[in-house]
Amino acid sequence: MDISFERQLIKMIEPLYKKGRNGDWDHILRMVKLCRYLLEHEKADEDIVLPAAYLHDLGWTAIDFSDFNQASPRVKTDSSSFIQHMEQGAVIAGTILSEFKYDTNKIKEIQSIIKVHDLPEIVFKMNNISATLVVEADRLDRYGKTGLARFKTMFGADKLSGQYWEEARQLRIDGLKEWFRTKTAINLSKKLAAEMGLFD
Ligand SMILES: [Fe+2]
């Protein structure tokens, strides 16, 4: 990814994310790092993966996501803002990348990934390694000590115990089998799951 493009992109989107969901900008920065790590070991197009990582959650900044926050972990995917954030995110990403005169075909590919980025089973069917890495990096950020800290920032410290956490914990345990396809991400997910005490 061209360094000056990356700097300008950050300058444009950081203030947007900071007006959106709590902790999302830090999530984006960690996710970009995770993408870079995956790209070192898996052959994918970084000019797709990295912009998609930077832009994928911008949809949250354009919608009311109170239904998502209020829903219990198992049914968050049923909330209407869950689908909206992907659709809106794809639109916003298109607008931003067009302003930068980014390659039209790459914009379309990035938008197609963002539009479904929280539906791993659909993304994996695309058979597109760049799309796969985006999903894996996004999901990897739900694990590890930083995954725990993020959860606390988003939903509150009281949600780290009781039924709410039990559901979230089980989703992460199941996720180890459902959310990762590449060897690199599978290995890292296991390591981060242990680090956050998922099996204790
Ligand atoms: Fe994300």
Side-chain angles (χ1 to χ4, degrees):
M1 190 182 190
D2 177 77
I3 184 78
S4 96
F5 167 58
E6 186 171 6
R7 284 206 190 107
Q8 290 175 62
L9 187 64
I10 289 173
K11 216 172 163 186
M12 180 183 278
I13 63 175
E14 183 178 358
L16 296 176
Y17 274 115
K18 289 192 166 165
K19 279 187 245 156
R21 285 194 313 181
N22 280 345
D24 262 4
W25 179 241
D26 292 328
H27 160 59
I28 296 298
L29 293 178
R30 284 192 303 272
M31 183 176 156
V32 167
K33 256 193 198 164
L34 285 162
C35 283
R36 288 203 153 101
Y37 170 75
L38 296 179
L39 282 162
E40 277 172 31
H41 302 275
E42 307 289 340
K43 217 173 154 33
D45 185 348
E46 69 157 53
D47 291 329
I48 298 292
V49 175
L50 297 178
Y54 272 115
L55 298 165
H56 82 283
D57 266 342
L58 274 174
W60 293 116
T61 68
I63 59 167
D64 174 3
F65 51 83
S66 46
D67 63 339
F68 180 84
N69 268 11
Q70 278 154 23
S72 81
R74 212 180 290 283
V75 295
K76 281 189 190 298
T77 51
D78 297 336
S79 56
S80 61
S81 64
F82 173 75
I83 297 296
Q84 276 172 20
H85 99 276
M86 294 186 276
E87 286 172 354
Q88 286 300 311
V91 173
I92 299 169
T95 308
I96 290 177
L97 291 171
S98 303
E99 274 181 45
F100 281 107
K101 309 241 181 304
Y102 211 64
D103 179 275
T104 321
N105 287 324
K106 288 195 195 288
I107 294 179
K108 279 193 198 133
E109 190 174 339
I110 290 165
Q111 286 184 295
S112 73
I113 296 170
I114 293 178
K115 211 170 171 176
V116 291
H117 75 266
D118 263 327
L119 301 165
E121 66 284 8
I122 290 181
V123 173
F124 296 150
K125 277 188 202 143
M126 290 166 80
N127 270 321
N128 173 336
I129 182 70
S130 302
T132 295
L133 296 197
V134 171
V135 165
E136 290 180 329
D138 194 21
R139 299 283 159 154
L140 280 168
D141 196 40
R142 297 190 186 188
Y143 295 85
K145 295 222 165 72
T146 48
L148 276 181
R150 179 177 177 224
F151 188 85
K152 196 167 136 187
T153 304
M154 287 175 77
F155 305 117
D158 61 313
K159 297 293 196 299
L160 274 172
S161 60
Q163 174 65 21
Y164 196 97
W165 175 245
E166 193 38 54
E167 276 186 34
R169 187 177 155 270
Q170 194 56 50
L171 282 176
R172 282 161 178 74
I173 290 173
D174 298 342
L176 292 171
K177 291 197 186 77
E178 294 162 9
W179 298 344
F180 307 102
R181 284 291 179 275
T182 68
K183 217 171 80 191
T184 313
I186 290 170
N187 289 339
L188 183 56
S189 68
K190 287 183 196 153
K191 200 178 126 209
L192 293 173
E195 181 195 294
M196 80 194 292
L198 214 55
F199 311 118
D200 301 348

